[in-house]
Amino acid sequence: MIGQVVWLARESLRGFGRAGGSALASTWSTALACSLLFVFLCLFQFGTDWAAQERAKQGWVELFLTDSAKPDSVLNLARARFPGSQAVLVDKETAKRRFVERFGPEMLEALDSNPLPISVRLRLDGSAREVATTALELGRLPGVESMDSPQGELERLETLRTWGARGGLLAAVLLFGVVFGVIRNAIQLSLKSRDRLIDNMRILGANRWQIEAPFAIEGVLQGLLGGILASALPGLGLWLARGAMVLPVSFDPLWVMRSAVATVGFASLAGALGGWWTVRRVLR
């Protein structure tokens, strides 16, 4: 058993070397195609982290209270009704400071008193729909005059992420077809260049698996090496440029590592299927 495995590995490497230019061209073509996948995966992870950060900033509901409302009572009621939320009381001075930070002091300087209402601010977790549903329930609490929540921004973030995932899936299917076709053509050329070797193996009694497996493994090798090149070159570029990139979220090395693993696995799978399908079809 061990001898067969050693022979299979040796014959696959020999075949990869015999293929020469076709194997090299196939590997580089695979690397170029899969580098697009690697870059997209890095960008998608960056976008996911950025969206999570924005969600943490915007996943809130603010309840503006009537003048006759008791702020502490509304605060305790909101906490009791939604125990998973983080509720804080925003008094008039805090509201004024926030208003000045956002809009400037000019609008309030002409007034004799502070017209801003007391409010209760709650931070919520969940999707945009869940936040919207919770906001409606909070708006019905006694003593609440009106409420505000950035539901539109949350919905746009979710829509953007959904369409990004769909676009990535479609691109992955197209790239899979490209890599499959490139490796299939390389394996076909390799088969044609070794017709005499295949005939001799049949005469000597080699079974179908012994004849087909080395060519299928050649496809795996081409996909594997192409995936490694597709990850190593742009990954090294991102790592060297990380200090010069101005990003809204911190650069995470895990983006590169996860993208590299997915890209190598993707290219290896496409190579395995391309090689095995070709050899089964040609040598049937």
Side-chain angles (χ1 to χ4, degrees):
M1 181 63 181
I2 297 178
Q4 288 184 348
V5 173
V6 172
W7 171 85
L8 182 60
R10 184 171 61 246
E11 185 60 30
S12 300
L13 291 173
R14 285 177 179 174
F16 187 83
R18 292 192 198 103
S22 63
L24 184 61
S26 173
T27 300
W28 275 108
S29 298
T30 299
L32 290 175
C34 290
S35 64
L36 299 177
L37 175 64
F38 175 84
V39 173
F40 172 81
L41 290 173
C42 288
L43 291 175
F44 185 78
Q45 291 179 89
F46 158 72
T48 299
D49 289 356
W50 172 76
Q53 178 178 286
E54 290 299 307
R55 175 181 294 280
K57 292 179 181 177
Q58 300 180 13
W60 52 266
V61 174
E62 188 146 9
L63 309 176
F64 299 101
L65 308 184
T66 61
D67 294 336
S68 60
K70 296 181 179 180
D72 291 336
S73 299
V74 177
L75 177 64
N76 294 332
L77 183 60
R79 288 174 174 172
R81 188 77 61 88
F82 301 95
S85 62
Q86 301 177 9
V88 294
L89 185 65
V90 181
D91 57 24
K92 284 181 170 291
E93 290 303 317
T94 303
K96 181 179 179 179
R97 185 174 64 254
R98 286 169 46 191
F99 185 91
V100 170
E101 290 174 355
R102 185 173 181 181
F103 301 105
E106 292 80 9
M107 298 178 65
L108 295 178
E109 286 178 348
L111 302 177
D112 296 331
S113 60
N114 184 354
L116 300 176
I118 297 174
S119 63
V120 172
R121 188 180 180 94
L122 297 95
R123 183 170 298 280
L124 305 172
D125 295 324
S127 65
R129 181 174 298 180
E130 293 171 342
V131 172
T133 302
T134 304
L136 290 176
E137 296 182 26
L138 288 167
R140 301 190 186 101
L141 292 177
V144 176
E145 183 176 13
S146 62
M147 64 91 180
D148 182 29
S149 177
Q151 300 166 28
E153 287 79 359
L154 292 177
E155 291 176 356
R156 282 191 286 272
L157 283 174
E158 291 184 0
T159 301
L160 181 62
R161 187 179 185 280
T162 299
W163 281 106
R166 291 175 180 174
L169 181 60
L170 177 60
V173 172
L174 295 176
L175 284 175
F176 190 90
V178 170
V179 175
F180 182 93
V182 167
I183 293 178
R184 181 196 63 186
N185 292 336
I187 298 300
Q188 284 179 338
L189 293 174
S190 180
L191 285 167
K192 290 180 180 179
S193 67
R194 284 183 279 174
D195 286 340
R196 184 174 298 178
L197 175 62
I198 294 173
D199 291 338
N200 291 337
M201 292 178 68
R202 284 172 171 168
I203 293 172
L204 294 174
N207 58 41
R208 189 178 181 89
W209 182 84
Q210 290 174 324
I211 297 173
E212 295 176 352
F215 296 97
I217 294 178
E218 283 183 39
V220 176
L221 289 175
Q222 292 176 23
L224 178 64
L225 292 176
I228 291 174
L229 289 173
S231 304
L233 297 179
L236 179 61
L238 287 174
W239 179 261
L240 294 176
R242 68 188 188 281
M245 293 187 296
V246 180
L247 301 175
V249 294
S250 300
F251 180 85
D252 189 350
L254 289 177
W255 296 346
V256 176
M257 295 177 61
R258 287 192 291 255
S259 299
V261 171
T263 301
V264 172
F266 175 88
S268 300
L269 178 61
L273 294 179
W276 192 262
W277 183 86
T278 302
V279 72
R280 293 287 293 181
R281 183 172 178 271
V282 174
L283 298 181
R284 60 186 176 184

